[in-house]
Amino acid sequence: MKKLSSSDADLHIAGEALKAGLLVAFPTETVYGLGGDGFNRYSLARIFEAKKRPRFDPLIIHIAEMDALDRVVHRDALPFSLREKTSVLSETLWPGPLTLVLPKRPEVPDLATSGLNTVAVRFPSHPVAQKVIAYSTCAVAAPSANPFGYLSPTRAEHIEELLGDEIDFIVDAGSTDIGIESTVLDLTQEPVRLLRPGGMPRERIEELIGKIEDLGNIREAPTGAPQAPGMLSSHYAPKTPLVLLTRDEMLRRVVSGKDAGPCVYLFFDGKTREESDVITDTVDRAIFTLSERGDCVEAAANLFDLLHRIDRLSKGVIYAQRAPERGLGTAINDRLSRASVRGTVQRGCI
Ligand code: AMP
Ligand code: MG
């Protein structure tokens, strides 16, 4: 693996590498992606191998100009109302952290879409991502650059540590802004469905196209059975078991002081931390806060980096406080819920 900077010369190297079928990790405004040519079966197969990603979990294709959408998507296959919604969303919210699932063109390899007749597409706003894609002249398949099921990378170091041997280049442009994956929206049927909450708040989407439907509460899903492709109940998980608590449960948990062993408290905000009894780190307890001032955007940006750091401490358990259920808070809670699935057994000890 070779590291590249965000200089124009290096981004040209990244673009050429993608054209040649190699794998390039690069930053987007959400998280770092692991890019390969979306029309090259060899590159697509290598992405699945590198991530140990199951073949039933389809990839998002990234574009860097509006005209590229119709190379990937068959818009005419949509009824008029959905075609209109697609135009409104893509023209208003792209480039940005929104992925649209649309009917696919037959030229898009089945490997990219896990054999579905739909394809997920996104136009990222990060200037480095845009240049890498533009210089590659490809439509770039780019899932998050992490081993399947583990925390997404928000810094180049996260990728080096976990996937460094599997990929050809990493473009290092520092921390990503949003820090949480894109919102995924299914536009192939009415009502439009939110498949994954993410960096584009649901409220913003509903302002433009009206009410959208939820995929459902993932915690009610039968274990192991995805409700939509790739929507596994356990995902984005640190190695350390995580128990997700409401604000009140978190305060009770801390105040009861029953912790037997080493643990981490991950507070959503500084106010809750101050209301609790934990003042400082001890040998057994580490304390982290997602956003001192309780801001969901700041908390989302910190989420994966903090979880990477917490995982390196190898404590017995992470107690994490839920975010408020609005804006990016919904996406934060979705990631924490999926991270907590293995820890549900532990809910008994709240
Ligand atoms: P990732 O790029 O790893 O953040 O995840 C991409 C996610 O997008 C997948 O796990 C799916 O949940 C979703 N996705 C991609 N393609 C499709 C599709 N054709 N239909 C429904 N969901 C999709
Ligand atoms: Mg992912």
Side-chain angles (χ1 to χ4, degrees):
M1 182 275 301
K2 193 166 178 302
K3 260 217 168 138
L4 298 171
S5 73
S6 51
S7 72
D8 212 46
D10 273 9
L11 298 186
H12 271 288
I13 294 174
E16 290 299 322
L18 285 167
K19 266 197 241 177
L22 300 180
L23 298 190
V24 179
F26 60 88
T28 78
E29 70 278 22
T30 58
V31 301
Y32 272 74
L34 173 56
D37 179 349
F39 283 91
N40 180 330
R41 288 175 182 77
Y42 166 78
S43 309
L44 292 168
R46 272 196 67 200
I47 292 177
F48 282 95
E49 287 305 314
K51 281 183 61 89
K52 311 258 177 307
R53 182 175 176 116
R55 299 287 163 113
F56 60 74
D57 192 3
L59 306 176
I60 296 174
I61 305 287
H62 291 66
I63 57 173
E65 53 171 10
M66 281 304 230
D67 289 349
L69 179 61
D70 292 311
R71 284 179 53 210
V72 183
V73 159
H74 185 43
R75 272 196 268 192
D76 291 345
L78 286 175
F80 179 74
S81 68
L82 287 169
R83 231 180 304 152
E84 284 290 286
K85 286 178 179 169
T86 304
S87 300
V88 170
L89 291 172
S90 60
E91 283 160 23
T92 318
L93 301 180
W94 277 358
L98 175 67
T99 296
L100 302 179
V101 173
L102 292 162
K104 90 173 182 81
R105 288 219 162 270
E107 297 82 14
V108 178
D110 281 343
L111 200 48
T113 62
S114 303
L116 298 167
N117 55 10
T118 57
V119 60
V121 195
R122 183 163 102 80
F123 184 162
S125 64
H126 197 299
V128 168
Q130 289 184 355
K131 283 189 185 166
V132 170
I133 299 164
Y135 295 158
S136 76
T137 66
C138 310
V140 178
S144 48
N146 52 329
F148 180 73
Y150 192 58
L151 305 169
S152 292
T154 55
R155 301 154 65 93
E157 301 89 87
H158 298 156
I159 310 171
E160 259 181 288
E161 199 179 308
L162 297 160
L163 283 184
D165 296 337
E166 313 288 331
I167 59 188
D168 303 301
F169 293 97
I170 300 179
V171 180
D172 185 352
S175 292
T176 58
D177 270 357
I178 297 176
I180 211 154
E181 301 82 353
S182 60
T183 301
V184 182
L185 209 58
D186 180 1
L187 278 164
T188 61
Q189 54 187 336
E190 295 274 16
V192 170
R193 290 192 311 165
L194 178 67
L195 299 185
R196 173 175 77 183
M200 179 63 69
R202 171 199 198 122
E203 294 87 337
R204 182 74 188 103
I205 296 167
E206 291 188 328
E207 270 169 33
L208 294 169
I209 61 163
K211 200 103 189 89
I212 55 176
E213 190 162 274
D214 257 318
L215 187 58
N217 185 335
I218 59 147
R219 281 170 305 151
E220 286 164 11
T223 341
Q227 300 180 80
M231 294 295 141
L232 298 172
S233 53
S234 172
H235 211 127
Y236 313 106
K239 296 190 182 90
T240 317
L242 185 147
V243 180
L244 183 55
L245 304 173
T246 63
R247 184 175 186 277
D248 285 350
E249 286 169 341
M250 186 81 171
L251 287 170
R252 262 186 274 137
R253 168 83 226 156
V254 177
V255 172
S256 70
K258 281 189 199 138
D259 298 324
C263 69
V264 173
Y265 290 111
L266 177 57
F267 287 96
F268 173 71
D269 60 315
K271 191 160 165 276
T272 310
R273 188 196 56 238
E274 272 154 30
E275 262 182 59
S276 78
D277 270 352
V278 263
I279 315 289
T280 48
D281 286 3
T282 63
V283 181
D284 271 352
R285 278 176 173 182
I287 300 158
F288 292 86
T289 309
L290 281 178
S291 164
E292 207 43 50
R293 59 178 198 273
D295 173 47
C296 288
V297 174
E298 184 181 50
N302 288 333
L303 178 68
F304 284 122
D305 190 43
L306 282 188
L307 286 172
H308 276 278
R309 278 166 51 193
I310 289 170
D311 230 8
R312 275 187 227 117
L313 300 176
S314 302
K315 301 277 187 205
V317 57
I318 305 165
Y319 296 106
Q321 179 193 346
R322 278 183 172 279
E325 198 64 38
R326 60 168 185 272
L328 292 198
T330 313
I332 294 172
N333 289 336
D334 172 79
R335 303 307 184 268
L336 288 173
S337 304
R338 290 176 206 264
S340 77
V341 166
R342 286 173 311 137
T344 44
V345 209
Q346 318 233 354
R347 282 176 200 279
C349 61
I350 291 166

